[in-house]
Amino acid sequence: MLARGNVKCFSIALVIALLWAVVNYHVMRTLWVHGFDDGTYSHAYLVPFIIVYLLYTCAQTGTFELRTSVNRYWLIFGCLVGAIYIVTLFSQISLLYWFFSLALLIVVVFQVFKFSWFLIFPLLYLILIYPFWGAFAPFFQDLSVFVVTLIMSFTEIPVFVENEFVTIPAGVFEIARGCSGLRYIIVSLAISSLYVYLYLRTVKSALIFVIVALFGALVTNWVRIVCLILIGHYTNMESSLMTDHNNFGWYIYIPVVLVQFYIGAKLERSEEILGLHNQKVVKIKPAESVSINKRALMSAMVLLLSASSVSVNLYTTAYTKNHHAAESGCKLAVTDNIFTVYNFDSVCELVSDKAEQRQFKFLYSGKLLDGKASYYLNTVIPETHRLLSERNDNEYKTLLTKNNVGQTWLLKYNYEMDGATYSSPKLFKFARLKNALKGKTEHWLNISIEKCDFACVKSFSRQQGD
């Protein structure tokens, strides 16, 4: 049971966290779509409950100490973080607004409570549900291909490896990004960091335990892939695991976790023998009936409410409504599902001089954080087309495709913002950052598609050669 003063501190921390999640609903929505709804982050459902428990343990040990006055340094730092966070929301750059949303929560908490390293960990634990871990998938994918190729070389099964494809006489296996082992790595990091925080006290023990956990995750994935290849070989690809093997890796991971806990217990006992464990344990402080400083709480709440995705969304909606100007010669249109484009506000078709050409402009107001022209799921190549060649000009990204009836097509697309066009997503990202400083988010995705005859194909090839 918590003493009265500690209950107050625990309750205030939970209210701050809950309010932060509510006023940043749009960011939380992206976490749900790209994190909770992704098998790689299946652990995400447990993280909030673990954080609540960790905050409870902080309250038990008296880690929470309310400030008696406003800390000017944290206030200045909070205003800086809040300003950067607002810019990242306007620019719709996922990695940035995810990072600074968490930074804002930490800053707000330490405006109300005195700084404590023991309180940092429960807040940083949220990072495990942020879906930017996918950036590491290509590296672990390449590593898995290399190790699996090495292991298979010791077998008598003929193996041919090209890129991420492993070919054996029975069939072909693709070591895709989902097979990189990232899900096991994140779970191992979550388990090991939590164990270190709760039970281990020395840097040496912590490093040993984390390294063992991460190595165990990698080995789990490598064994899983090799086992699937062997099963495919000996069953002539008829095993049900060839089509559904999502849970197969977790059965291999269970004994690995048990070994991790065994090593953790050994490390904990070695610390106790050295007399380090009891020395480092946080002493439980008596609950103090300290009243909350109203100015500190008020400054934290003002920062939290002003630097939030809700306030930015309200501004963006009002700005778009008052400043959006219709494109001349552009009529509202339906794309007939030619392109796979998401989260746009409206689309119009430009009148073209060419009979076989169609030009579309997709408007993005910026009201949705995933509502951007460079959204990773946007595909300008029609489903019935396959890519033949591409080139990147200063003004357009140009693609040469062929449909399922043998017709050749020429597609061009670019991103437009504040009167300038960009063919590169990277340059367009910098443009969004620049315009975010002006409070502008409205932009367009411009796509044109036309049939490409022999002369057109020849011209494309010549320009590509130049």
Side-chain angles (χ1 to χ4, degrees), residues 3-220:
R4 184 176 178 181
N6 291 339
V7 169
K8 179 193 291 186
C9 293
F10 177 62
S11 302
I12 292 172
L14 288 184
V15 169
I16 290 174
L18 183 61
L19 183 61
W20 166 81
V22 170
V23 299
N24 290 286
Y25 158 76
H26 304 87
V27 176
M28 298 303 108
R29 185 174 180 272
T30 63
L31 293 182
W32 178 266
V33 172
H34 304 294
F36 286 82
D37 204 25
D38 188 330
T40 304
Y41 302 92
S42 54
H43 63 281
Y45 293 93
L46 294 175
V47 170
F49 297 101
I50 293 173
I51 291 173
V52 172
Y53 169 73
L54 293 177
L55 292 177
Y56 181 84
T57 60
C58 286
Q60 273 188 322
T61 56
T63 303
F64 287 111
E65 291 186 66
L66 290 167
R67 291 194 180 276
T68 56
S69 62
V70 176
N71 187 296
R72 294 181 181 178
Y73 299 106
W74 276 105
L75 182 59
I76 294 171
F77 183 55
C79 291
L80 179 62
V81 170
I84 297 175
Y85 179 47
I86 290 174
V87 172
T88 62
L89 289 171
F90 274 120
S91 65
Q92 300 172 280
I93 299 177
S94 306
L95 293 179
L96 291 181
Y97 64 67
W98 284 335
F99 174 81
F100 282 100
S101 66
L102 182 57
L104 182 69
L105 173 62
I106 295 173
V107 169
V108 168
V109 167
F110 288 124
Q111 278 188 282
V112 178
F113 298 100
K114 292 181 180 179
F115 180 81
S116 170
W117 286 109
F118 285 95
L119 189 52
I120 279 283
F121 179 81
L123 299 175
L124 283 179
Y125 204 71
L126 266 173
I127 205 170
L128 294 170
I129 67 174
Y130 280 68
F132 52 64
W133 297 93
F136 299 101
F139 169 77
F140 290 113
Q141 179 188 17
D142 293 339
L143 181 62
S144 296
V145 171
F146 172 78
V147 174
V148 168
T149 303
L150 180 64
I151 295 173
M152 291 303 298
S153 66
F154 292 98
T155 68
E156 297 180 355
I157 302 173
V159 176
F160 175 73
V161 180
E162 184 178 13
N163 297 324
E164 70 272 22
F165 295 96
V166 178
T167 303
I168 61 173
V172 180
F173 293 85
E174 179 185 4
I175 304 178
R177 290 194 178 183
C179 301
S180 63
L182 189 61
R183 67 182 67 184
Y184 309 114
I185 293 170
I186 299 175
V187 170
S188 291
L189 189 61
I191 294 173
S192 61
S193 61
L194 184 61
Y195 193 95
V196 167
Y197 177 77
L198 293 175
Y199 302 113
L200 301 181
R201 302 298 168 216
T202 64
V203 175
K204 180 182 177 181
S205 297
L207 284 175
I208 292 174
F209 188 75
V210 171
I211 290 172
V212 167
L214 294 179
F215 183 71
L218 291 172
V219 171
T220 296

Side-chain angles (χ1 to χ4, degrees), residues 333-375:
V334 178
T335 62
D336 301 324
N337 296 322
I338 301 174
F339 316 107
T340 307
V341 181
Y342 296 91
N343 302 326
F344 57 90
D345 289 78
S346 62
V347 57
C348 63
E349 184 171 0
L350 293 168
V351 178
S352 176
D353 297 332
K354 300 179 181 179
E356 296 291 340
Q357 184 186 56
R358 298 187 71 181
Q359 295 177 303
F360 298 95
K361 293 180 73 71
F362 294 85
L363 168 66
Y364 291 87
S365 66
K367 290 186 292 184
L368 295 176
L369 289 176
D370 281 338
K372 51 191 173 185
S374 56
Y375 185 56

Side-chain angles (χ1 to χ4, degrees), residues 162-343:
E162 184 178 13
N163 297 324
E164 70 272 22
F165 295 96
V166 178
T167 303
I168 61 173
V172 180
F173 293 85
E174 179 185 4
I175 304 178
R177 290 194 178 183
C179 301
S180 63
L182 189 61
R183 67 182 67 184
Y184 309 114
I185 293 170
I186 299 175
V187 170
S188 291
L189 189 61
I191 294 173
S192 61
S193 61
L194 184 61
Y195 193 95
V196 167
Y197 177 77
L198 293 175
Y199 302 113
L200 301 181
R201 302 298 168 216
T202 64
V203 175
K204 180 182 177 181
S205 297
L207 284 175
I208 292 174
F209 188 75
V210 171
I211 290 172
V212 167
L214 294 179
F215 183 71
L218 291 172
V219 171
T220 296
N221 190 55
W222 299 336
V223 171
R224 180 183 73 93
I225 297 172
V226 171
C227 286
L228 287 172
I229 294 175
L230 294 176
I231 292 171
H233 174 73
Y234 290 112
T235 64
N236 199 30
M237 305 296 285
E238 293 181 359
S239 171
S240 60
L241 288 174
M242 297 299 100
T243 56
D244 184 12
H245 48 261
N246 285 333
N247 295 325
F248 181 63
W250 294 116
Y251 297 129
I252 301 174
Y253 185 66
I254 289 173
V256 173
V257 171
L258 295 177
V259 172
Q260 290 174 16
F261 285 136
Y262 173 77
I263 294 174
K266 296 275 286 185
L267 291 171
E268 193 177 351
R269 282 196 295 272
S270 67
E271 288 183 350
E272 290 177 353
I273 292 172
L274 294 174
L276 297 172
H277 194 267
N278 292 331
Q279 294 176 14
K280 298 280 181 143
V281 172
V282 179
K283 295 180 179 179
I284 298 179
K285 300 178 183 178
E288 299 178 2
S289 58
V290 178
S291 61
I292 187 169
N293 184 275
K294 293 182 180 179
R295 290 186 177 181
L297 182 62
M298 185 62 67
S299 63
M301 292 301 101
V302 169
L303 177 61
L304 194 58
L305 293 173
S306 58
S308 66
S309 67
V310 170
S311 60
V312 170
N313 181 263
L314 290 174
Y315 170 84
T316 303
T317 303
Y319 183 90
T320 304
K321 184 177 180 180
N322 296 327
H323 294 82
H324 172 59
E327 290 287 316
S328 58
C330 194
K331 299 180 180 180
L332 290 177
V334 178
T335 62
D336 301 324
N337 296 322
I338 301 174
F339 316 107
T340 307
V341 181
Y342 296 91
N343 302 326

